[in-house]
Amino acid sequence: MCGIVGYAGHRPAQDVLLDGLARLEYRGYDSAGLAVLADGRIAIVRRVGKLALLRKALEEVPLPGNLGIGHTRWATHGLPTEENAHPHLDCTGKIALVHNGIIENHRALREKLLAQGHAFRSQTDTEVLVHLVEGHFHGDLVRAVRAALGEAKGALAIAVIHADCPEEIVVARTGSPLVVGVLPEEGFVASDAPALLPYTREFYFLGDGEVARVRPGQVEVWDEHGRRKEAPFRHVPWDPLAAEKQGYRHFMEKEIHEQPVAVADTLRGELHARWEGELGEANLREIDHVYLVACGTSYHAALVAEYLWEPLLGIPVAAEVASEFRYKDPAVGPRSLVVAVSQSGETVDTLMAVRGAKARNAKVLAVANVVGSAIPREADGALYTRAGLEIGVAASKTFTAQLAALALLGLRLAYVRGALSPDAFERATDELARAPALLARALEVEPEIEALARDHYQKPNFLYLARGVLYPLALEGALKLKEISYIHAEGYPAGEMKHGPIALVHEEMPVVFLFSQAELPDKALANVQEVKARQGIVIAFADHDRPELRELADHLILLPPAPRDLLPFTFTPPLQLLAYHIARLRGTDVDQPRNLAKTVTVE
């Protein structure tokens, strides 16, 4: 969840570190700090709050030097205070360390280290790591880090510097992501590639259990067994300009409007679901059920796929919340296909679900947006969305790119299994190619959405109702509103309204209906009548103009008509825009909502 940046080279380290941390702000944080090595001494500056406060402190007291590490922290163990902010120093002041993740046995380690005479300055779990490195250091920082990690349990990514090792940063990961970039006279480290895009697009993504020594122009990597290994770098095709707002008020607004391009790029890039990896078509003919595992917005994309795939494939298909799937002893085996959906490719619960499925010999296919990330690396095959860099914490274009990739994947599975003829497959992919144009048309309703937001942005609760394939979009619409406006919102199947949610309906309750002639329109209309009978405020998004609906709705927003399989592309943008404009009017931090992070790498 936090951000790590490291630099070794000829530039002022402070400037590179601040720039990198600024590009990782979307991950979320409540404090930040730097440690820079110069003239045999490590100096640190830390501040609670936004990076602007750290930047101001460094303007007053700069940190000279060409090697250093930086960090943005979300509080886990210990309050957001300057003492608990990273980097942390050891007792000698010669070692500085930053850490993402959670050390599960930190209490036992702290007691042991206190008994050995170590002095602690913070309440964090992280500080035990720097003292462990201190205790194991005998001239070789890599050995000391490896020995320290041998005592720690949990998910982590760390970067460590030592005053006696003035040209190197040692990094390691288990669970939490880390990437390395190298230029002829420079070395870079970050928890996410966007931090380093102004400098390089060639990255090495550390694998689980790996330790690396990064020096100017050089990286050495050791695997989980301590053996030296090659570091194959991968090209990340993201433009640094993608991180600029380009005239939009927020990154999220920009990314909502980038969806037609993101979906078009995904469809072009994955047109015949040519996934990377060793998962062959012969394997897929033998599967007898499919699990789609994901978290958050990615789970809603998986749920859309469940609705579309099951009638297409003729076998059981189930979308599962990864954090539940990994612990419930699922019935997966050699004839199971597990599709892991993750924007970052690093979501810890989804990653653990993948490992559990592979341990049971299931076939695993990843759908992710980040090339070379952990879940695609560990899966049997990987299908990439082509959404590009997404800065806004609340997913927008990565969601519709996932919808596109999963739609293609479902068609390809049906074709491989003989459920679709070659002609039917070609017709279906041709129809899917209409998705970018439908997205663009759906975005044209923004002026109506903005007016609607002005009417209701002060309401404390919203209810979202839909049927069929639109139900996952009701969940997603409610989630977006919660995430960025902090309004309580729930998504429900419309048919379940009388089983509880109807008790909430009154004259101040906006009820958002997603209404399509392809998904039980008469039954959905009856649900609208029930809400109206209880004086609820009916906000209807519909793909056709129906007189009865127009009469009942307080607000009716018409969307472009589309076949059932393409409905997610027409209904998604208006729901995102409604959440965006309500949040904007309420004055919340749209791009960096409180308590949220772009990538969840700890439980």
Side-chain angles (χ1 to χ4, degrees):
M1 292 174 69
C2 314
I4 288 175
V5 179
Y7 176 73
H10 54 79
R11 310 181 205 220
Q14 169 186 297
D15 297 344
V16 178
L17 298 176
L18 282 173
D19 179 60
L21 291 179
R23 294 174 187 277
L24 294 179
E25 281 192 290
Y26 64 91
R27 294 173 68 91
Y29 66 103
D30 52 39
S31 58
L34 305 185
V36 176
L37 173 60
D39 300 324
R41 295 172 59 87
I42 292 176
I44 68 169
V45 175
R46 302 177 292 189
R47 288 294 184 271
V48 175
K50 293 295 186 181
L51 273 175
L53 298 174
L54 178 64
R55 196 181 298 274
K56 183 178 179 181
L58 290 166
E59 288 173 358
E60 297 171 357
V61 183
L63 297 182
N66 305 115
L67 182 142
I69 51 178
H71 190 266
T72 50
R73 173 186 188 249
W74 263 133
T76 53
H77 298 79
L79 295 172
T81 64
E82 199 167 300
E83 292 75 18
N84 289 333
H86 300 210
H88 289 288
L89 293 173
D90 73 326
C91 296
T92 69
K94 287 190 168 187
I95 306 173
L97 179 147
V98 293
H99 162 233
N100 289 351
I102 292 176
I103 306 302
E104 296 173 0
N105 60 335
H106 71 98
R107 288 188 180 87
L109 291 173
R110 181 183 285 257
E111 290 174 4
K112 170 189 166 183
L113 290 162
L114 286 169
Q116 293 174 354
H118 291 268
F120 282 76
R121 303 178 180 90
S122 78
Q123 292 77 51
T124 67
D125 58 331
T126 297
E127 195 179 353
V128 301
L129 291 174
V130 73
H131 291 293
L132 287 174
V133 174
E134 175 190 359
H136 288 289
F137 182 76
H138 303 290
D140 187 327
L141 189 55
V142 169
R143 285 181 180 271
V145 167
R146 283 187 53 80
L149 296 185
E151 297 188 56
K153 297 178 182 177
L156 58 86
I158 63 171
V160 190
I161 59 175
H162 196 299
D164 294 345
C165 307
E167 291 192 346
E168 67 183 50
I169 304 170
V170 173
V171 296
R173 71 156 282 180
T174 300
S176 296
L178 270 180
V179 300
V180 172
V182 175
L183 293 177
E185 297 180 0
E186 298 174 282
F188 303 89
V189 174
S191 47
D192 212 349
L196 307 181
L197 287 176
Y199 310 102
T200 180
R201 297 191 205 174
E202 306 296 325
F203 299 101
Y204 176 67
F205 294 80
L206 264 73
D208 254 12
E210 292 183 353
V211 177
R213 176 187 283 129
V214 180
R215 292 173 168 148
Q218 181 187 21
V219 59
E220 302 168 90
V221 180
W222 291 263
D223 67 16
E224 66 270 29
H225 304 295
R227 299 175 299 215
R228 289 286 295 272
K229 62 169 288 186
E230 292 296 315
F233 279 69
R234 296 198 63 162
H235 180 72
V236 174
W238 289 347
D239 187 339
L241 288 176
E244 304 300 329
K245 292 179 184 173
Q246 299 174 359
Y248 289 96
R249 288 165 288 195
H250 298 90
F251 283 113
M252 185 178 181
E253 182 186 23
K254 168 177 171 278
E255 288 153 5
I256 288 171
H257 285 272
E258 287 175 340
Q259 288 179 112
V261 173
V263 167
D265 287 347
T266 296
L267 293 176
R268 278 195 297 268
E270 306 294 341
L271 182 56
H272 297 292
R274 297 189 184 96
W275 48 77
E276 295 183 5
E278 301 177 355
L279 186 62
E281 292 184 356
N283 305 117
L284 299 176
R285 295 189 189 102
E286 304 302 320
I287 61 174
D288 57 18
H289 62 281
V290 178
Y291 291 103
L292 296 123
V293 297
C295 298
T297 287
S298 296
Y299 168 69
H300 298 154
L303 195 56
V304 169
E306 176 189 317
Y307 274 87
L308 298 179
W309 286 15
E310 198 158 46
L312 188 63
L313 300 180
I315 57 175
V317 177
E320 300 270 358
V321 175
S323 57
E324 293 296 318
F325 180 82
R326 62 179 286 202
Y327 289 117
K328 75 171 193 177
D329 196 19
V332 299
R335 293 172 66 86
S336 306
L337 174 65
V338 173
V339 180
V341 189
S342 168
Q343 175 274 137
S344 66
E346 300 282 354
T347 309
V348 66
D349 286 310
T350 309
L351 178 60
M352 294 301 113
V354 164
R355 291 175 179 169
K358 287 182 69 68
R360 295 167 182 254
N361 297 313
K363 301 165 185 67
V364 177
L365 183 60
V367 177
N369 193 50
V370 180
V371 175
S373 50
I375 294 171
R377 286 204 310 270
E378 297 199 20
D380 300 304
L383 190 66
Y384 288 107
T385 54
R386 309 297 170 117
L389 178 60
E390 186 176 69
I391 296 295
V393 168
S396 55
K397 65 177 180 174
T398 52
F399 175 65
T400 44
Q402 286 173 344
L403 294 177
L406 289 167
L408 272 176
L409 179 57
L411 294 175
R412 187 64 182 176
L413 291 173
Y415 173 70
V416 167
R417 292 175 55 79
L420 276 183
S421 67
D423 287 344
F425 175 74
E426 186 172 347
R427 287 194 301 272
T429 53
D430 286 345
E431 183 176 85
L432 186 57
R434 295 173 53 203
L438 288 170
L439 280 163
R441 288 183 60 194
L443 287 165
E444 292 172 2
V445 303
E446 184 167 14
E448 297 174 69
I449 301 288
E450 195 165 1
L452 176 63
R454 283 196 293 270
D455 287 341
H456 298 294
Y457 74 94
Q458 293 180 317
K459 297 291 193 299
N461 302 285
F462 275 69
L463 183 61
Y464 288 68
L465 299 174
R467 286 183 175 267
V469 73
L470 295 179
Y471 161 57
L473 304 183
L475 294 176
E476 176 62 12
L479 177 62
K480 282 291 156 287
L481 192 64
K482 279 184 281 196
E483 285 179 317
I484 64 174
S485 74
Y486 316 145
I487 291 173
H488 172 255
E490 290 189 62
Y492 253 86
E496 287 289 293
M497 183 178 63
K498 286 183 286 191
H499 295 271
I502 198 167
L504 300 173
V505 177
H506 57 85
E507 65 275 6
E508 288 296 310
M509 170 67 85
V511 182
V512 179
F513 276 94
L514 310 185
F515 195 90
S516 171
Q517 57 188 350
E519 291 289 9
L520 302 170
D522 292 335
K523 292 186 181 297
L525 187 64
N527 297 135
V528 175
Q529 290 169 329
E530 289 166 337
V531 167
K532 198 62 185 171
R534 288 154 182 84
Q535 300 183 310
I537 302 167
V538 173
I539 300 170
F541 293 91
D543 62 358
H544 65 294
D545 193 353
R546 184 164 176 159
E548 307 100 301
L549 183 61
R550 183 173 287 278
E551 181 180 338
L552 290 167
D554 297 280
H555 306 273
L556 174 61
I557 296 179
L558 293 175
L559 304 176
R564 178 177 181 269
D565 291 0
L566 297 184
L567 291 177
F569 298 103
T570 57
F571 280 82
T572 294
L575 296 175
Q576 295 169 339
L577 288 168
L578 179 61
Y580 169 73
H581 284 294
I582 286 176
R584 181 181 59 79
L585 290 166
R586 289 170 69 91
T588 62
D589 190 341
V590 172
D591 289 330
Q592 297 173 45
R594 68 188 183 202
N595 302 330
L596 296 180
K598 189 67 178 171
T599 305
V600 180
T601 57
V602 297
E603 290 190 73

